[in-house]
Amino acid sequence: MTRARGITEQAADAAIDTACRVLRLPAIRARFAEAADKAEHDQLTYRGFLAELFMAECEDRDHRRAERRLRGAGFPRSKWLTDFDFDANPAVNAAVINTLAS
């Protein structure tokens, strides 16, 4: 790999944007500038900065994967435990359900 010297901030941003498109890293592409500014402000190491970006990409992929699976399941509507009416069904123990949920 050749070492780039004298690259401007604008050229670096363009190169990062292009590389993220090619490598299919949408979360890094969307958050890079903000993360770079924050890393500079917080004086993160290069490794810390990269870790933040990669964790953001992984979290975004997990979120998109879960959404894709829910859409693929074809559920008629979203249902959440917080919406469950325990009074309407007294046979269901709310304490047990909340313990299992945690």
Side-chain angles (χ1 to χ4, degrees):
M1 183 170 166
T2 60
R3 189 170 180 195
R5 294 178 186 259
I7 189 168
T8 66
E9 291 291 320
Q10 187 176 9
D13 288 346
I16 291 165
D17 185 73
T18 300
C20 286
R21 286 178 192 265
V22 170
L23 296 172
R24 297 182 181 162
L25 301 168
I28 291 177
R29 182 174 167 256
R31 298 178 187 166
F32 174 78
E34 177 186 334
D37 292 341
K38 185 177 183 318
E40 186 176 4
H41 179 267
D42 295 347
Q43 297 180 343
L44 286 178
T45 64
Y46 291 123
R47 285 187 176 128
F49 170 64
L50 282 173
E52 290 289 330
L53 283 177
F54 288 141
M55 287 188 304
E57 185 68 38
C58 290
E59 289 169 2
D60 184 62
R61 286 181 184 211
D62 288 342
H63 179 72
R64 286 184 289 132
R65 186 179 303 117
E67 285 181 348
R68 198 169 42 251
R69 287 178 177 165
L70 284 172
R71 278 193 311 272
F75 295 130
R77 63 181 189 268
S78 297
K79 294 183 181 183
W80 304 97
L81 279 178
T82 55
D83 300 333
F84 188 79
D85 184 11
F86 289 100
D87 295 331
N89 195 345
V92 177
N93 186 342
V96 172
I97 298 299
N98 289 327
T99 300
L100 292 172
S102 64

